[in-house]
Each structure stands twice: as C-alpha cells, then as structure tokens.
Amino acid sequence: MSTTVDHSGDPDPVITDPIGTAKTLRNRVRAASLVGTTIEFYDFYVYATAAVAVFPALFFTGENDTAKLLASMATFGAAFVARPIGSVLFGHFGDRVGRKATLIGALLTMGIATFLIGLLPTYYSIGLWAPIILTVLRFCQGLGLGGEWSGASLLATEYAEDGKRARAAMWPQLGAPFGFILANGFFLVLTVIMGFTTLADSGSSHAFLTWGWRIPFIASVIMVIVGLYVRFSLEETPVFKKAVERAEPVKSPVLEVFKTSWLQIIQGTFIMLATYVLFYLMTAWILSYGIGSASVGGLGIAYRNFLVIQLIAVLMFAAMVPVSGWLADKYGRRSSLLVITALIVAFGLVFGWFIAPENLGTGENLSLVRLVVFLAVGMALMGLTFGSMSAVLPELFPTNVRYTGSGIAYNGASILGAALTPYAAVWLNAKFGVSAVGMYLSAAAVITFVALWFSPETRHVDMVEVGKK
C-alpha cells in the first residue's frame, strides 16, 4: 500500500491501494463474464430441454414421434447456423468499438428472443407460422450467443494476470454448467409442482404443456436485467485500450482476420470440434435417448427422473472446469488438451458397453448406477476440454481481430460439432444403435487430436504482442 499527500491544501493523506483496486476490478470482471455467460447458456439450454420434451408435441404435427423429434432438433440446430453470423456481426463491433458495448448488445439479443419464445402461440393456434417463428427466434438466440462467448472470454483473458490466464478464462466457461443447472433445475421444479412426467403419461392437455413450459422462457428477462446491471459497471479492457492508443483497430475485422489469421481460424475450429460433439451428446441427445420409448430404441426413463440424473452429472462438468484452467496454466494448453482428447476418443468407443439397452436395461429394469457413471464421466471430460478453451482460442489472434477471429472459430465449430450432432445421433441410434453414436464422437475427437498436434503452444504468448511481425 502506498500513501500520498494531496498538496492542494487538504492536509489529510489520500490512501491509494493499487493492488486492492486491481483485485476488486478482476473480481468484477469475473462476475461480469460469469453472470453473462450463465444467462446466455441458460437461455440456450431452456430451448434445448423444451426441444426434446415439449416442442415436438406443440409445434410439429404427424403420427411419427421420431419424425417430430427430428423436426424439433432441426429448429434446435438453426441457432448453430446463426452463431458464426453472430460472431462476425458482434465481432465487427467488438474489435472496432470495444468489448463492453458489444457484450451488452449480445445479451439483449439473446434475452429478447428467449422472452418472445415464451409468448409464442403453438401450431394449434396459428398453424405453420408457429414453427416458422420459433425457428426465427431460435436463430436470434444463436446470433446472441455467437457474440457473447468471444466477448466474455476476451473480457477475462485481457484482464488476467501473467501466468494465470487460463484460470481467469475459466470463469466465463463456468456459465455453461451453471446455465444448464438453472435451466434444467427450473424445468425439474415445474414438472414436480405440476405433476408432469412424460407426454405419453400426462397427455397433451396437461397444464405443463398448455402454459407451464413458458415460465422458464419468460422468467429469463429477470436474469437479463441483472446481467445488464453488472456489465454496465465495467470499463473497457486494458489490452483493447492499448490497441486504440496505437490506432490498431481496423475498418473491417472480418476481412482482416481472413487475410491475416485464416490458419488460426481453421486450427481453432477443429480444436473445438470434439468439445461441441461431446457436450451436445451429453445434454440434448442423451435426454431424447433417455426419455425415448424403448420400442423406438430409447431407455424409457421418466422425463423428471432423467432431469435429476443429468443435474447430478453436470456437477462433474462444473467441478472440472477450474481443473482444466489449472492444468492449462501449469502444463500448457496443447499438452493437457492432447491427453484429454485422447480420453474422449476412448470414451466414444465404450458407448455401447455403457448404455446400449441390452447392457443398461430399460424402464424399471435400467441400471441407474451405470447410467450415472456414464454421464458423470462424459461431463467430467466435457469440463476438462471446455474449461481452457476461452484462453486457447483468443490466444491465437491479434487484438484488432481477436473478438472476430475467436468467435468465428468457436462458432464455426458449432456448425460442424453441435448443429448436426443431436440430429445425427438420433438418426444413427435409430439405424445402427447407440455404439454408432459413440463412434461419431470418437471420429470427431480424432480430428481434434490432429488439429491440436499441429497447433502451437500459447501459454506464454503476450496478448498485446500476439500476431505482430
């Protein structure tokens, strides 16, 4: 602590504490990045849960349950098409105007779209307009999340202390499991209070399907207000301020990033591939598989019971995110991720042994312990691979295109690794069984392993100087 005297006439000393101020500022940044991504992922997962358990009955017609589920998954995938567009749109302003203002815009885009989904009439009220509008709003959700992740990651990494960047960057990553817990926990509480189990058991006229499912969507507006309050209190990041002082921002970040950092975009996209595939198998697809009827290849678990199992398993996801940041700072991003990705390859190869109906059982004869272990292992691997990504991707790009470049890589991977995954997994399971779903994961992880093998180690890069000749 240092003491200085104000010589303007006031004899009282003015106490300054630069160390304490920096610590307070970093705590505020952690809170802002965590709260924002938690809200964004909550909005995203609320839709994912409803896409499996609610939307097939309310927004799509026909007698074939698998076809309706596939149609619902297709609208779910629309957001992943939008995410790279969102990364370009918000990245443009994030690299030209600044991180703070752009993050506020991304949060509003996602929040307004989610709120409107909660008010949307169903197919039985407005016909084909219902799934059309639903898809448009889902697209808007994707735009918002496409701009959110990069900004939150840059907020954390560009404020981080030397040698602790991956640990600082894990805070926005915690928004994923926290948002998942909030979204699925909300649905769980509602189904318990309203006595909803599954569509087959409860009927299409049940209060949960009539209006109860709307509550988590509409209630998201409260979280958005909290997020806006936290983000308005922030200052611009010091790394971006230095870039402005040096007149480094460019007129068209998207053109500049493809001109100067196209290789890094390719590397980042495939580095993220296995992470996306694993996550959406462990959340969206596994829910449809778990509550699906045994007659169509599912496990026949009650919706409410499966939510409890998922909520238990996702705690492993949250627990491993800080571990991932610590490993990446201590042993390096590339080294730690190579080992973790190899484990994901192996995990994919044992899907059939773990959860094929003939091994796991179905309905009341299902081995609950075996299922919980499977989900816990998958979620633990997810935390380990996801936790350091908010350091890995931004470290590949110069400051003047970092928001755009890291966003395009992250969200470009979402098309390859997430938009297709729930749909492909439903089809693979229906045609070839659950072992084929695991092989899909292993194949994606092999591609990621190769991308990591040829990527640089970025643990010691200077965030101000990276990318400069």
Side-chain angles (χ1 to χ4, degrees):
M1 179 178 294
S2 61
T3 304
T4 60
V5 179
D6 181 358
H7 295 285
S8 63
D10 184 355
D12 295 331
V14 177
I15 307 297
T16 62
D17 185 359
I19 296 177
T21 301
K23 184 177 180 180
T24 300
L25 181 58
R26 289 193 179 100
N27 287 337
R28 191 183 302 164
V29 168
R30 290 170 189 156
S33 60
L34 174 60
V35 168
T37 53
T38 298
I39 294 167
E40 298 276 16
F41 279 106
Y42 166 86
D43 289 352
F44 215 66
Y45 299 150
V46 160
Y47 189 102
T49 302
V52 172
V54 176
F55 292 162
L58 300 181
F59 290 91
F60 304 96
T61 61
E63 300 297 326
N64 189 309
D65 289 340
T66 299
K68 290 195 293 184
L69 178 59
L70 286 172
S72 184
M73 287 298 188
T75 67
F76 176 76
F80 296 100
V81 177
R83 283 171 67 165
I85 300 173
S87 67
V88 171
L89 175 64
F90 289 103
H92 175 85
F93 294 104
D95 284 326
R96 281 190 53 76
V97 178
R99 315 326 192 189
K100 174 183 173 178
T102 307
L103 277 169
I104 292 170
L107 184 61
L108 281 172
T109 302
M110 171 71 92
I112 292 171
T114 304
F115 177 76
L116 291 177
I117 290 173
L119 302 178
L120 183 61
T122 69
Y123 177 88
Y124 303 99
S125 298
I126 60 173
L128 286 175
W129 282 109
I132 291 172
I133 298 173
L134 179 66
T135 303
V136 170
L137 292 174
R138 178 61 175 170
F139 189 88
C140 292
Q141 280 192 317
L143 287 177
L145 191 57
E148 165 64 30
W149 181 86
S150 298
S153 297
L154 267 56
L155 197 65
T157 56
E158 292 183 350
Y159 266 110
E161 299 175 74
D162 291 339
K164 296 182 179 180
R165 201 157 53 222
R167 276 168 282 187
M170 70 91 184
W171 287 99
Q173 304 300 78
L174 280 173
F178 287 1
F180 183 88
I181 290 169
L182 284 174
N184 278 22
F186 205 152
F187 269 106
L188 176 61
V189 170
L190 282 174
T191 56
V192 170
I193 293 174
M194 303 183 75
F196 178 82
T197 52
T198 62
L199 178 61
D201 295 335
S202 305
S204 59
S205 61
H206 193 281
F208 178 75
L209 289 173
T210 303
W211 57 268
W213 68 271
R214 300 178 182 276
I215 298 175
F217 288 89
I218 295 173
S220 68
V221 71
I222 299 172
M223 300 175 64
V224 170
I225 292 171
V226 173
L228 289 173
Y229 172 78
V230 173
R231 287 191 167 172
F232 270 115
S233 68
L234 291 177
E235 296 180 3
E236 191 52 76
T237 71
V239 173
F240 185 80
K241 285 181 178 179
K242 288 182 180 178
V244 172
E245 291 171 1
R246 298 178 181 182
E248 291 178 355
V250 293
K251 291 183 178 180
S252 179
V254 66
L255 295 179
E256 182 71 15
V257 76
F258 278 107
K259 177 182 176 182
T260 62
S261 305
W262 60 269
L263 179 59
Q264 288 82 357
I265 290 175
I266 295 172
Q267 288 175 331
T269 297
F270 288 109
I271 285 171
M272 274 297 303
L273 180 65
T275 303
Y276 266 120
V277 173
L278 176 61
F279 184 68
Y280 283 94
L281 287 179
M282 291 294 102
T283 53
W285 171 75
I286 197 66
L287 177 59
S288 67
Y289 178 66
I291 68 175
S293 170
S295 63
V296 294
L299 299 178
I301 305 172
Y303 172 59
R304 187 191 308 163
N305 294 342
F306 198 84
L307 282 182
V308 174
I309 297 170
Q310 273 197 310
L311 286 170
I312 293 171
V314 82
L315 295 176
M316 291 298 296
F317 180 10
M320 290 299 107
V321 167
V323 175
S324 176
W326 179 82
L327 290 172
D329 277 337
K330 184 172 179 61
Y331 299 106
R333 285 67 159 134
R334 180 178 176 274
S335 299
S336 59
L337 283 172
L338 280 170
V339 174
I340 294 162
T341 304
L343 292 174
I344 295 173
V345 173
F347 179 62
L349 297 177
V350 297
F351 263 47
W353 181 84
F354 257 119
I355 59 169
E358 59 269 24
N359 296 326
L360 183 65
T362 59
E364 295 181 357
N365 298 318
L366 179 138
S367 173
L368 186 61
V369 172
R370 193 182 189 114
L371 178 60
V372 170
V373 170
F374 170 80
L375 285 170
V377 171
M379 286 294 190
L381 289 171
M382 179 61 205
L384 289 171
T385 186
F386 186 64
S388 61
M389 285 297 171
S390 56
V392 173
L393 299 189
E395 287 170 355
L396 294 173
F397 298 93
T399 303
N400 62 350
V401 295
R402 184 170 295 139
Y403 202 126
T404 304
S406 60
I408 290 174
Y410 180 84
N411 294 297
S414 74
I415 293 180
L416 300 176
L420 300 176
T421 291
Y423 189 96
V426 169
W427 183 83
L428 285 169
N429 182 52
K431 287 288 185 180
F432 306 107
V434 72
S435 292
V437 179
M439 293 296 293
Y440 183 86
L441 171 62
S442 294
V446 168
I447 295 171
T448 289
F449 189 91
V450 173
L452 284 165
W453 186 266
F454 290 103
S455 68
E457 175 56 62
T458 58
R459 175 172 40 162
H460 298 300
V461 302
D462 186 321
M463 295 292 277
V464 175
E465 301 298 325
V466 62
K468 295 181 179 178
K469 304 297 184 184

